Amino acid sequence: NAGVTQTPKFRVLKTGQSMTLLCAQDMNHEYMYWYRQDPGMGLRLIHYSVGEGTTAKGEVPDGYNVSRLKKQNFLLGLESAAPSQTSVYFCASRPRDRAYEQYFGPGTRLTVT
Amino acid sequence: AQRVTQPEKLLSVFKGAPVELKCNYSYSGSPELFWYVQYSRQRLQLLLRHISRESIKGFTADLNKGETSFHLKKPFAQEEDSAMYYCALGQNSGNTPLVFGKGTRLSVIA
């Protein structure tokens, strides 16, 4: 039982490049989330999903897209990376009946130059 | 609107001293409050929730609805308590995501 995993762990992009971050969970959780963590800003919700095939915007969705084609996977895409998107990205998941019990992934450190 | 405020970005205390990490919230309904912790090079994890009223690693937190606060306390800080602490506000039902504060970095000095 790996819990929540994220791929890749680190990535450096040039401005304008695109990439996809993969989040996978093996706990059969319905809800999944993408956050970014920046110094002094805490955790900010980018997008989330309440089930397979559904997504919703969070606090800071601009510049990102997501997809949840399979229940266990939640993909975060950057179509045209900008230096402002340099951050640590965390994925989380939770079961439907326990709103407090979010399980976090190890994070992806992204640098955009 | 739901909001969580953690007024201190950084809190430094000496080993053995009491610790209080402040958290205030704004919410019109019946709140559920939580503390999450992130130790160095580890992933974020749930530390405790107000409804359980338990002590985890010596930490306790009491929900004060009158003052809309959920401060995290420990009587004697240990070096291993050094970490980033996030207060979070949510509901135990429905789809609304947790709202996190900006976090407080606790540094326990030997």
Side-chain angles (χ1 to χ4, degrees):
Chain A
N1 192 335
V4 180
T5 58
Q6 292 183 230
T7 309
K9 288 188 170 55
F10 305 93
R11 185 73 186 269
V12 178
L13 287 179
K14 291 188 182 343
T15 297
Q17 288 184 319
S18 63
M19 79 163 294
T20 300
L21 283 67
L22 171 63
C23 176
Q25 52 94 5
D26 60 3
M27 297 172 283
N28 202 34
H29 287 169
E30 288 84 1
Y31 291 64
M32 295 187 75
Y33 307 88
W34 274 109
Y35 295 90
R36 57 179 292 173
Q37 183 185 46
D38 302 289
M41 301 299 291
L43 280 173
R44 292 183 292 171
L45 182 66
I46 304 172
H47 286 280
Y48 65 102
S49 169
V50 301
E52 183 178 322
T54 70
T55 62
K57 293 181 180 179
E59 180 186 354
V60 288
D62 294 342
Y64 305 95
N65 57 73
V66 288
S67 65
R68 183 102 182 265
L69 298 179
K70 293 183 179 180
K71 187 177 184 179
Q72 63 267 33
N73 296 337
F74 194 29
L75 279 64
L76 178 71
L78 286 74
E79 289 188 350
S80 179
S84 60
Q85 294 177 304
T86 293
S87 187
V88 181
Y89 291 85
F90 287 98
C91 176
S93 72
R94 73 160 175 94
R96 180 180 298 280
D97 58 346
R98 294 196 298 278
Y100 57 90
E101 199 167 357
Q102 288 194 183
Y103 292 81
F104 282 82
T108 295
R109 185 174 294 276
L110 175 66
T111 301
V112 183
T113 61
Chain B
Q2 299 178 60
R3 187 179 302 152
V4 176
T5 303
Q6 293 180 250
E8 302 135 331
K9 285 186 180 178
L10 174 66
L11 183 64
S12 296
V13 300
F14 286 102
K15 179 182 173 181
V19 174
E20 182 178 64
L21 298 163
K22 290 185 168 49
C23 173
N24 289 91
Y25 66 91
S26 172
Y27 181 53
S28 56
S30 183
E32 293 234 7
L33 275 298
F34 317 95
W35 279 98
Y36 278 75
V37 61
Q38 185 180 26
Y39 300 103
S40 180
R41 296 189 182 85
Q42 293 187 29
R43 61 187 72 192
L44 209 68
Q45 57 188 290
L46 178 66
L47 179 62
L48 54 80
R49 50 192 291 234
H50 89 270
I51 203 167
S52 62
R53 300 185 66 81
E54 57 190 344
S55 172
I56 304 291
K57 299 184 179 184
F59 284 99
T60 59
D62 291 319
L63 178 61
N64 185 323
K65 291 188 178 180
E67 296 183 358
T68 60
S69 68
F70 188 57
H71 303 328
L72 185 67
K73 300 177 184 179
K74 185 171 183 177
F76 308 104
Q78 303 298 314
E79 289 179 75
E80 56 266 28
D81 297 327
S82 295
M84 193 74 175
Y85 291 82
Y86 289 96
C87 183
L89 168 68
Q91 305 170 23
N92 202 33
S93 60
N95 297 333
T96 308
L98 290 179
V99 175
F100 286 86
K102 293 186 177 181
T104 297
R105 181 167 297 282
L106 174 65
S107 176
V108 181
I109 306 162

